[in-house]
Short mmCIF file of all heavy atoms in Angstrom, two decimals:
data_model
loop_
_atom_site.label_atom_id
_atom_site.label_comp_id
_atom_site.label_asym_id
_atom_site.label_seq_id
_atom_site.Cartn_x
_atom_site.Cartn_y
_atom_site.Cartn_z
N ALA A 420 -22.24 21.25 -18.41
CA ALA A 420 -22.31 20.83 -16.98
C ALA A 420 -21.45 21.71 -16.18
O ALA A 420 -21.64 21.86 -15.00
CB ALA A 420 -21.92 19.35 -16.90
N ALA A 421 -20.45 22.32 -16.81
CA ALA A 421 -19.44 23.20 -16.17
C ALA A 421 -20.20 24.48 -15.72
O ALA A 421 -19.54 25.30 -15.01
CB ALA A 421 -18.22 23.47 -16.99
N SER A 422 -21.33 24.63 -16.20
CA SER A 422 -22.21 25.92 -15.69
C SER A 422 -22.90 25.57 -14.38
O SER A 422 -23.50 26.52 -13.88
CB SER A 422 -23.08 26.40 -16.76
OG SER A 422 -22.39 26.84 -17.90
N GLU A 423 -22.89 24.34 -13.92
CA GLU A 423 -23.55 23.96 -12.81
C GLU A 423 -22.70 24.22 -11.52
O GLU A 423 -21.43 24.08 -11.68
CB GLU A 423 -23.96 22.48 -12.87
CG GLU A 423 -24.94 22.27 -14.01
CD GLU A 423 -26.44 22.68 -13.66
OE1 GLU A 423 -26.78 22.85 -12.41
OE2 GLU A 423 -27.15 22.95 -14.53
N GLY A 424 -23.42 24.40 -10.39
CA GLY A 424 -22.56 24.54 -9.09
C GLY A 424 -21.79 23.33 -8.86
O GLY A 424 -20.69 23.37 -8.16
N ASP A 425 -22.23 22.11 -9.04
CA ASP A 425 -21.60 20.90 -8.75
C ASP A 425 -20.21 20.87 -9.37
O ASP A 425 -19.24 20.18 -8.81
CB ASP A 425 -22.41 19.66 -9.16
CG ASP A 425 -23.53 19.33 -8.23
OD1 ASP A 425 -23.55 19.89 -7.19
OD2 ASP A 425 -24.38 18.60 -8.67
N PHE A 426 -20.00 21.48 -10.53
CA PHE A 426 -18.80 21.48 -11.28
C PHE A 426 -17.76 22.19 -10.30
O PHE A 426 -16.60 21.71 -10.07
CB PHE A 426 -18.86 22.24 -12.58
CG PHE A 426 -17.52 22.63 -13.16
CD1 PHE A 426 -16.76 21.60 -13.85
CD2 PHE A 426 -17.14 23.92 -13.08
CE1 PHE A 426 -15.52 22.02 -14.51
CE2 PHE A 426 -15.83 24.29 -13.60
CZ PHE A 426 -15.13 23.35 -14.36
N HIS A 427 -18.04 23.35 -9.78
CA HIS A 427 -17.18 24.21 -9.06
C HIS A 427 -16.84 23.48 -7.66
O HIS A 427 -15.75 23.59 -7.23
CB HIS A 427 -17.72 25.57 -8.85
CG HIS A 427 -17.96 26.33 -10.15
ND1 HIS A 427 -16.89 26.97 -10.79
CD2 HIS A 427 -19.06 26.53 -10.92
CE1 HIS A 427 -17.31 27.49 -11.89
NE2 HIS A 427 -18.62 27.29 -12.05
N ALA A 428 -17.91 23.00 -7.11
CA ALA A 428 -17.73 22.30 -5.83
C ALA A 428 -16.74 21.15 -5.98
O ALA A 428 -15.81 20.86 -5.07
CB ALA A 428 -19.09 21.71 -5.36
N ALA A 429 -16.94 20.33 -7.16
CA ALA A 429 -16.09 19.05 -7.32
C ALA A 429 -14.62 19.60 -7.59
O ALA A 429 -13.66 18.95 -7.05
CB ALA A 429 -16.57 18.35 -8.55
N LEU A 430 -14.31 20.56 -8.43
CA LEU A 430 -13.02 20.95 -8.65
C LEU A 430 -12.38 21.48 -7.37
O LEU A 430 -11.16 21.16 -7.16
CB LEU A 430 -12.98 22.06 -9.69
CG LEU A 430 -12.66 21.55 -11.12
CD1 LEU A 430 -13.73 20.64 -11.61
CD2 LEU A 430 -12.37 22.72 -12.11
N ASN A 431 -13.06 22.23 -6.64
CA ASN A 431 -12.48 22.81 -5.30
C ASN A 431 -12.22 21.67 -4.29
O ASN A 431 -11.18 21.65 -3.65
CB ASN A 431 -13.41 23.82 -4.77
CG ASN A 431 -12.73 24.67 -3.74
OD1 ASN A 431 -11.62 25.15 -3.93
ND2 ASN A 431 -13.31 24.84 -2.45
N ILE A 432 -13.08 20.63 -4.16
CA ILE A 432 -12.83 19.58 -3.27
C ILE A 432 -11.55 18.79 -3.76
O ILE A 432 -10.73 18.47 -2.97
CB ILE A 432 -14.02 18.59 -3.31
CG1 ILE A 432 -15.30 19.31 -2.58
CG2 ILE A 432 -13.74 17.25 -2.66
CD1 ILE A 432 -16.61 18.51 -2.78
N ALA A 433 -11.58 18.47 -5.07
CA ALA A 433 -10.46 17.63 -5.66
C ALA A 433 -9.19 18.41 -5.50
O ALA A 433 -8.10 17.71 -5.18
CB ALA A 433 -10.74 17.18 -7.11
N ALA A 434 -9.17 19.66 -5.65
CA ALA A 434 -7.90 20.48 -5.63
C ALA A 434 -7.36 20.55 -4.21
O ALA A 434 -6.25 20.32 -3.97
CB ALA A 434 -8.15 21.82 -6.16
N THR A 435 -8.29 20.87 -3.24
CA THR A 435 -7.84 21.09 -1.92
C THR A 435 -7.61 19.81 -1.07
O THR A 435 -6.72 19.72 -0.22
CB THR A 435 -8.99 21.89 -1.16
OG1 THR A 435 -10.23 21.20 -1.16
CG2 THR A 435 -9.14 23.35 -1.71
N ARG A 436 -8.20 18.73 -1.63
CA ARG A 436 -8.01 17.43 -0.90
C ARG A 436 -6.98 16.59 -1.68
O ARG A 436 -6.81 15.47 -1.37
CB ARG A 436 -9.29 16.61 -0.72
CG ARG A 436 -10.43 17.43 0.02
CD ARG A 436 -9.84 18.03 1.28
NE ARG A 436 -9.25 17.12 2.24
CZ ARG A 436 -8.55 17.45 3.20
NH1 ARG A 436 -8.27 18.79 3.49
NH2 ARG A 436 -8.05 16.55 4.04
N SER A 437 -6.51 17.18 -2.75
CA SER A 437 -5.49 16.46 -3.57
C SER A 437 -5.89 15.07 -3.97
O SER A 437 -5.34 13.99 -3.70
CB SER A 437 -4.22 16.35 -2.83
OG SER A 437 -3.66 17.64 -2.51
N CYS A 438 -7.08 15.06 -4.77
CA CYS A 438 -7.66 13.84 -5.20
C CYS A 438 -7.13 13.22 -6.50
O CYS A 438 -6.99 14.06 -7.47
CB CYS A 438 -9.08 13.92 -5.34
SG CYS A 438 -10.04 14.41 -3.74
N PRO A 439 -6.75 11.95 -6.67
CA PRO A 439 -6.23 11.43 -7.85
C PRO A 439 -7.21 11.19 -8.79
O PRO A 439 -7.82 10.14 -8.96
CB PRO A 439 -5.53 10.10 -7.32
CG PRO A 439 -6.37 9.71 -6.13
CD PRO A 439 -6.81 11.04 -5.52
N MET A 440 -7.49 12.18 -9.59
CA MET A 440 -8.56 12.04 -10.68
C MET A 440 -8.30 12.87 -11.87
O MET A 440 -7.55 13.90 -11.83
CB MET A 440 -9.92 12.45 -10.02
CG MET A 440 -10.10 13.82 -9.65
SD MET A 440 -11.93 14.09 -9.13
CE MET A 440 -12.95 13.68 -10.56
N VAL A 441 -9.05 12.53 -12.84
CA VAL A 441 -8.97 13.28 -14.15
C VAL A 441 -10.34 13.85 -14.45
O VAL A 441 -11.33 13.00 -14.56
CB VAL A 441 -8.50 12.48 -15.33
CG1 VAL A 441 -8.52 13.25 -16.61
CG2 VAL A 441 -7.05 12.02 -15.10
N PHE A 442 -10.59 15.14 -14.56
CA PHE A 442 -11.84 15.75 -15.03
C PHE A 442 -11.69 15.88 -16.51
O PHE A 442 -10.77 16.47 -17.12
CB PHE A 442 -11.99 17.14 -14.48
CG PHE A 442 -12.29 17.18 -12.93
CD1 PHE A 442 -11.28 17.39 -12.10
CD2 PHE A 442 -13.46 16.87 -12.56
CE1 PHE A 442 -11.52 17.49 -10.74
CE2 PHE A 442 -13.75 17.00 -11.09
CZ PHE A 442 -12.81 17.30 -10.22
N PHE A 443 -12.58 15.29 -17.29
CA PHE A 443 -12.46 15.13 -18.65
C PHE A 443 -13.72 15.85 -19.34
O PHE A 443 -14.80 15.42 -19.26
CB PHE A 443 -12.52 13.72 -19.30
CG PHE A 443 -12.08 13.60 -20.69
CD1 PHE A 443 -10.82 13.23 -21.06
CD2 PHE A 443 -13.02 13.94 -21.71
CE1 PHE A 443 -10.45 13.18 -22.42
CE2 PHE A 443 -12.72 13.78 -23.06
CZ PHE A 443 -11.38 13.44 -23.34
N CYS A 444 -13.47 17.11 -19.81
CA CYS A 444 -14.61 17.86 -20.33
C CYS A 444 -14.65 17.83 -21.90
O CYS A 444 -13.70 17.96 -22.56
CB CYS A 444 -14.40 19.35 -19.95
SG CYS A 444 -15.66 20.45 -20.74
N ARG A 445 -15.88 17.40 -22.37
CA ARG A 445 -16.07 17.44 -23.76
C ARG A 445 -16.73 18.67 -24.16
O ARG A 445 -17.91 18.94 -23.95
CB ARG A 445 -17.07 16.23 -24.19
CG ARG A 445 -16.57 14.78 -23.83
CD ARG A 445 -17.69 13.84 -24.00
NE ARG A 445 -18.91 13.97 -23.12
CZ ARG A 445 -19.89 14.67 -23.36
NH1 ARG A 445 -20.04 15.33 -24.52
NH2 ARG A 445 -20.97 14.77 -22.52
#
Side-chain angles (χ1 to χ4, degrees):
S422 295
E423 295 287 331
D425 281 346
F426 166 81
H427 299 279
L430 262 66
N431 198 46
I432 292 169
T435 56
R436 306 313 301 167
S437 301
C438 299
M440 69 175 297
V441 175
F442 291 99
F443 194 101
C444 176
R445 300 174 291 93

